[in-house]
């Protein structure tokens, strides 16, 4: 019995550590995407840090409040410190990170994918069904970007025709399918993140987008 308890404890610790590493990587990616955009708007250091922090923790904060669990970044100072490190990174490599649009896309996609995984995983751990976890995965992945765009006075990317929240939805569905098929948690997480990133890349490469809802039809008559 004791060996089984030790084995379960070790497995739980490995899972927790892996999720924490994913969350740290996602925090760096999201923070850099926010700080990078703040730099293009010529924000000062504090403003850029604020935008990066909100981008990194915004979605997870809303998720934890909705799930009625302790807000994750209030349990440790790592998230504030990692965002500060991201700010220093952007300052040191400013010419490379700020001047290239593809850099924003890469970091934004990584943050989106990893936060989607974290949102799903934490929601399932609290006992909610997969459909709730899907919504929370989308919120965790996308809401920080919404706050970022609002702060820098841009139209939120998630509300445009880009494949953004839709990629999170697809990733969550892949997670769900692998879960039903009995796949390991690692396989579920990696497959979900890979799906989100792959869809973002394909959307950029082939100029894929969702249809635009146009409320106003043209009233002009064709010329004879």
């Amino acid at each position: 019995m004791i060996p089984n308890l030790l084995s379960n404890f070790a497995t739980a610790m490995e899972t927790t550590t892996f999720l924490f590493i994913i969350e740290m990587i996602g925090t760096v990616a999201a923070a850099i995407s926010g700080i990078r955009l703040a730099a293009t708007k010529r924000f000062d250091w504090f403003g850029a840090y604020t935008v990066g922090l909100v981008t990194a923790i915004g979605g997870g904060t809303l998720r934890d409040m909705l799930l009625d669990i302790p807000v994750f970044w209030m349990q440790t100072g790592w998230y504030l410190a990692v965002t500060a490190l991201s700010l220093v990174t952007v300052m040191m490599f400013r010419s490379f990170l700020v001047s290239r649009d593809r850099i924003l896309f890469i970091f934004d996609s990584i943050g989106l994918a990893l936060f989607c995984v974290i949102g799903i995983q934490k929601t399932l751990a609290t006992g909610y069904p997969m459909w709730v976890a899907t919504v929370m995965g989308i919120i965790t992945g996308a809401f920080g970007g919404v706050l970022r765009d609002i702060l820098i006075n841009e139209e939120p990317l998630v509300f445009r025709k880009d494949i953004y929240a839709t990629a999170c939805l697809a990733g969550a569905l892949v997670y769900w399918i692998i879960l039903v098929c009995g796949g390991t948690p690692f396989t579920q997480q990696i497959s979900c993140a890979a799906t989100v990133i792959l869809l973002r890349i394909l959307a950029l490469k082939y100029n894929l987008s969702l249809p635009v809802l146009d409320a106003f039809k043209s009233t002009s008559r064709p010329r004879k």
Side-chain angles (χ1 to χ4, degrees):
M1 180 176 181
I2 293 179
N4 289 335
L5 290 176
L6 291 175
S7 177
N8 292 336
F9 177 76
T11 302
M13 288 298 295
E14 289 176 1
T15 302
T16 302
T17 302
F18 178 68
L19 291 177
F20 180 75
I21 292 173
I22 288 179
E23 203 156 23
M24 286 295 101
I25 296 173
T27 299
V28 171
I32 287 179
S33 75
I35 293 168
R36 187 260 183 198
L37 277 180
T40 63
K41 296 287 186 175
R42 303 186 64 82
F43 281 29
D44 61 20
W45 291 6
F46 179 77
Y49 176 83
T50 301
V51 173
L53 182 63
V54 168
T55 307
I57 69 173
T61 300
L62 179 58
R63 175 203 63 219
D64 291 348
M65 291 174 64
L66 291 173
L67 295 177
D68 196 24
I69 60 177
V71 178
F72 70 104
W73 60 267
M74 294 182 178
Q75 312 306 308
T76 175
W78 271 104
Y79 301 95
L80 303 182
V82 166
T83 302
L85 181 62
S86 301
L87 175 62
V88 173
T89 301
V90 174
M91 291 168 59
M92 291 178 61
F93 302 100
R94 179 176 323 180
S95 59
F96 177 74
L97 292 175
V98 177
S99 61
R100 291 170 170 80
D101 291 336
R102 292 292 177 92
I103 296 298
L104 171 63
F105 175 83
I106 292 172
F107 282 109
D108 194 48
S109 298
I110 293 174
L112 181 71
L114 297 184
F115 282 159
C116 180
V117 171
I118 291 295
I120 294 172
Q121 194 74 16
K122 286 193 172 183
T123 305
L124 292 176
T126 60
Y128 283 94
M130 187 63 204
W131 69 268
V132 177
T134 299
V135 175
M136 291 302 168
I138 295 173
I139 288 175
T140 308
F143 189 68
V146 173
L147 295 178
R148 173 199 65 202
D149 294 342
I150 291 174
L151 287 176
I152 64 172
N153 198 27
E154 292 282 350
E155 181 184 0
L157 184 63
V158 70
F159 299 140
R160 299 179 223 165
K161 58 182 181 178
D162 297 57
I163 303 297
Y164 197 77
T166 313
C168 288
L169 176 59
L173 291 176
V174 170
Y175 190 110
W176 198 343
I177 291 172
I178 296 177
L179 176 65
V180 171
C181 293
T184 64
F186 179 79
T187 304
Q188 297 161 17
Q189 295 156 11
I190 292 298
S191 300
C192 175
T195 300
V196 175
I197 295 174
L198 179 61
L199 281 179
R200 293 278 286 152
I201 292 174
L202 291 176
L204 178 66
K205 182 176 181 180
Y206 296 106
N207 196 28
L208 303 176
S209 63
L210 295 177
V212 174
L213 182 61
D214 189 359
F216 302 99
K217 294 184 178 180
S218 175
T219 58
S220 61
R221 297 180 179 178
R223 296 181 179 178
K224 295 181 179 181

